[in-house]
Amino acid sequence: MSETVQTPTAPVTGLVLSGGGAKGAYQVGVLKALLELDADIDMVAGASMGALNGAVLACAPSLPEGVQRLEKLWNTLAARSPVEANTPSYLKFLAAAGLTLGVPLPQILTTFLAKMPIPPLAKPFIQTACDKLTPAILSDEPLKALMDEYLDTKELMNGLPLYVSVYESRGGLDDLLSCMLAETGLQDTPPSKFLHLQSLPANQRREALLASAAIPLLYQARQIGVARYSDGGQGGWQKAQGNTPITPLIDAGCKQVIVTHLTDGALWSRHDFPDTTVLEIRPQTWITQESSPLGAIKAALGFDATSIARLMQQGYDDTLHCVGQVMKAAQSRQTLQQSERSLEDSRQRAKAVDGALAEAMSRLN
């Protein structure tokens, strides 16, 4: 699989949109605040829902238009949740768990995961059973419909460079277990990969976006090239390497990067990137009380109007708190530097005029 890294001719600013499912509404508020702060964004990298939000931005002709489209998209999600059971798989999962149709999905997952750790001899059989689900517990048809409505691949080719985070899947159950082990600190997950969306063949761009948001077991992994990929947020779990994809932007030449987090207390650190100016936007109050992998899945699927409105406002407020003063100070310095350059240009022009006048006077004498 080929990836293209674009080398800009001037310093640029990148935007990182971390993954978090329904918590992605927070990023709408972040972008509204950045718009008010006159932020410049030259390229975007996203994971999971952050990749989908980034794609909407990249398709828009301008940042204001992109923010308007994102707000419209999330108002649609508030009215119509994209979480839809893939009925055949859902029924099989219920039967395997000994549950009934009246049991909600989070409780199903709780019951299933309560049986962990899985004995080594039983693991292959359970993995095989999970792989036979047709094709996953949740349907991605609602996401495809939203992409049809809000994403235009032709506009994408003319928009902001977009990088998406994907994770090479070893099977839904195996992926989920790897994340759970990483959460305990016993081992980390392999790193995610980053794809430059505009460099992919046209028929793989949507697949890359669907893959980046494919939570293991819940959504179907997607085939891209010779490998199958799922939720990009799984990579390098312990330090959110895949869920906070800053490295493709740095590799592309960004000297300043604005990073948004959707996880309370993320271990990701800007100090790992000493040669880059990193402006972080972190939740100032809890987004959710759920901190385990299972709790993260539950929060990721919590699309409802009240939660989405709250998250939008929280993202707006946190952005002004975290980076507002810094960006205003930087803009003031830039304005002062421009004024100083204008003054120096004026002095040079005046000096040239004085010289020409002196020469003219000497000729008259």
Side-chain angles (χ1 to χ4, degrees):
M1 184 186 311
S2 62
E3 299 180 39
T4 299
V5 175
Q6 299 181 347
T7 303
T9 57
V12 294
T13 298
L15 173 67
V16 173
L17 299 174
S18 297
K23 294 184 290 183
Y26 181 93
Q27 293 167 351
V28 180
V30 168
L31 285 158
K32 290 178 71 174
L34 290 177
L35 192 60
E36 288 186 12
L37 293 168
D38 294 323
D40 290 322
I41 296 172
D42 300 293
M43 60 181 68
V44 183
S48 195
M49 184 57 77
L52 297 177
N53 282 343
V56 174
L57 276 186
C59 286
S62 66
L63 182 60
E65 176 66 22
V67 175
Q68 286 182 2
R69 292 182 185 183
L70 273 175
E71 191 167 17
K72 182 179 178 182
L73 166 62
W74 280 92
N75 285 332
T76 299
L77 291 173
R80 186 179 72 245
S81 172
V83 179
E84 178 181 297
N86 188 346
T87 305
S89 301
Y90 191 55
L91 292 174
K92 289 181 182 180
F93 198 89
L94 286 170
L99 301 170
T100 66
L101 282 172
V103 180
L105 180 61
Q107 187 174 337
I108 294 171
L109 290 173
T110 302
T111 302
F112 180 71
L113 294 175
K115 301 176 182 178
M116 305 298 182
I118 297 173
L121 293 177
K123 184 176 178 180
F125 298 99
I126 297 176
Q127 180 67 67
T128 300
C130 289
D131 289 342
K132 288 182 178 179
L133 294 177
T134 312
I137 298 172
L138 298 181
S139 170
D140 54 19
E141 290 304 316
L143 285 178
K144 290 179 181 178
L146 287 169
M147 291 168 69
D148 288 339
E149 184 176 355
Y150 290 96
L151 299 181
D152 186 324
T153 54
K154 292 181 180 179
E155 291 180 345
L156 180 64
M157 296 308 294
N158 299 319
L160 297 175
L162 173 64
Y163 296 84
V164 300
S165 172
V166 294
Y167 181 81
E168 188 166 350
S169 177
R170 294 174 293 181
L173 179 61
D174 214 355
D175 294 344
L176 192 58
L177 285 174
S178 294
C179 290
M180 294 180 70
L181 286 173
E183 185 72 21
T184 65
L186 296 176
Q187 66 179 43
D188 203 359
T189 56
S192 289
K193 298 182 179 181
F194 307 120
L195 307 178
H196 178 234
L197 209 67
Q198 287 92 340
S199 294
L200 294 176
N203 63 346
Q204 291 186 6
R205 292 171 200 145
R206 176 189 286 207
E207 294 300 297
L209 289 170
L210 289 171
S212 188
I215 299 173
L217 283 184
L218 299 187
Y219 289 102
Q220 181 183 13
R222 317 301 295 193
Q223 189 79 28
I224 306 173
V226 298
R228 290 177 65 78
Y229 293 92
S230 59
D231 194 322
Q234 300 170 83
W237 181 273
Q238 292 180 355
K239 296 197 73 174
Q241 174 266 348
N243 203 49
T244 309
I246 190 174
T247 50
L249 298 181
I250 294 175
D251 291 344
C254 288
K255 299 301 182 184
Q256 175 174 280
V257 182
I258 302 169
V259 177
T260 69
H261 296 283
L262 296 180
T263 302
D264 303 313
L267 295 179
W268 187 93
S269 175
R270 68 179 184 276
H271 300 298
D272 292 335
F273 312 96
D275 298 326
T276 305
T277 300
V278 179
L279 303 179
E280 285 189 271
I281 301 168
R282 288 181 178 266
Q284 299 303 293
T285 57
W286 292 104
I287 285 184
T288 172
Q289 298 297 327
E290 305 284 357
S291 59
S292 66
L294 181 58
I297 291 175
K298 183 178 179 181
L301 300 177
F303 292 88
D304 67 79
T306 301
S307 176
I308 286 174
R310 175 182 62 81
L311 287 168
M312 285 184 182
Q313 186 62 46
Q314 185 176 350
Y316 177 85
D317 294 338
D318 288 348
T319 301
L320 295 181
H321 175 83
C322 292
V323 303
Q325 294 301 319
V326 174
M327 293 187 69
K328 288 178 180 178
Q331 289 164 359
S332 297
R333 285 195 300 272
Q334 185 178 16
T335 300
L336 179 59
Q337 290 169 352
Q338 290 173 345
S339 298
E340 291 173 345
R341 285 194 294 268
S342 296
L343 179 59
E344 182 60 27
D345 289 343
S346 297
R347 287 174 177 170
Q348 292 299 325
R349 288 194 296 270
K351 186 176 181 180
V353 170
D354 290 343
L357 180 61
E359 183 178 353
M361 293 296 293
S362 66
R363 289 174 182 172
L364 291 174
N365 296 329

